[in-house]
Amino acid sequence: LQSDAPVEAARLLSADRIVLQFPVQWYSTPALLKAWQDAVLTRMYYIAYDTEGGRLEGTPLLVAATAGNVLQAYEPTGQNFFALAELLVPLQATAYRCGLPWSEPFLTYRADKLDEAELAAAADRYAQRLRGWITDTMHLRVAARPAPSKGAKP
């Protein structure tokens, strides 16, 4: 992933918004997503802040996560004890650190157990949420902050 970091950083800088979409695995993001964060965000915010990380700031972020269990399992009296949104707080902290406006996550429960009609309904809700989120965040990010010109001092 380290060798892909420049390409991934360029992709992020060309985006008007960022959606992290993933299945929750053992109360966290999948290992590959965490490795991507480590490689790409470390580069952008600690190695190349002026030319990359600083330019990404202000880009809205939405997390869309799926869980295999039912909503009730993610309650204080449930099997998982914590609400799913609480388990995503490390991503919210990352968004805050990186200057990425955070939106309430889009969550789908029983994702691997939905029948065809339930899956279609979940897809419709997701599409509706994305449309609303795009409209709601229109004012936050029009274009990436330009890279500093050569020879310019930060």
Side-chain angles (χ1 to χ4, degrees), residues 43-108:
R43 172 197 167 89
M44 294 183 79
Y45 285 90
Y46 290 98
I47 298 169
Y49 176 78
D50 288 336
T51 58
E52 294 178 1
R55 292 176 51 213
L56 191 64
E57 290 178 358
T59 305
L61 174 68
L62 175 67
V63 167
T66 60
N69 214 333
V70 297
L71 173 63
Q72 294 76 14
Y74 292 94
E75 295 176 352
T77 58
Q79 180 180 10
N80 297 318
F81 188 66
F82 292 98
L84 188 50
E86 289 179 68
L87 297 173
L88 300 174
V89 166
L91 288 174
Q92 187 175 6
T94 299
Y96 178 80
R97 166 60 184 87
C98 295
L100 307 176
W102 177 261
S103 296
E104 192 66 30
F106 179 84
L107 306 173
T108 301

Side-chain angles (χ1 to χ4, degrees), residues 9-148:
R11 287 180 178 154
L12 287 174
L13 289 170
S14 71
D16 291 329
R17 287 164 195 79
I18 301 166
V19 176
L20 297 179
Q21 180 177 307
F22 58 89
V24 173
Q25 297 177 344
W26 284 105
Y27 312 105
S28 186
T29 60
L32 188 58
L33 178 54
K34 177 62 170 98
W36 177 89
Q37 287 177 261
D38 290 346
V40 178
L41 297 180
T42 298
R43 172 197 167 89
M44 294 183 79
Y45 285 90
Y46 290 98
I47 298 169
Y49 176 78
D50 288 336
T51 58
E52 294 178 1
R55 292 176 51 213
L56 191 64
E57 290 178 358
T59 305
L61 174 68
L62 175 67
V63 167
T66 60
N69 214 333
V70 297
L71 173 63
Q72 294 76 14
Y74 292 94
E75 295 176 352
T77 58
Q79 180 180 10
N80 297 318
F81 188 66
F82 292 98
L84 188 50
E86 289 179 68
L87 297 173
L88 300 174
V89 166
L91 288 174
Q92 187 175 6
T94 299
Y96 178 80
R97 166 60 184 87
C98 295
L100 307 176
W102 177 261
S103 296
E104 192 66 30
F106 179 84
L107 306 173
T108 301
Y109 298 90
R110 295 181 45 249
D112 59 336
K113 298 167 189 75
L114 299 177
D115 63 31
E116 195 171 314
E118 292 170 319
L119 190 58
D124 288 342
R125 285 192 306 276
Y126 187 32
Q128 181 179 4
R129 174 65 190 282
L130 287 171
R131 285 189 295 271
W133 177 65
I134 289 168
T135 300
D136 293 346
T137 59
M138 196 67 71
H139 68 286
L140 294 176
R141 173 119 169 135
V142 177
R145 189 174 90 190

Side-chain angles (χ1 to χ4, degrees), residues 149-153:
S149 60
K150 292 195 184 235
K153 294 185 180 183

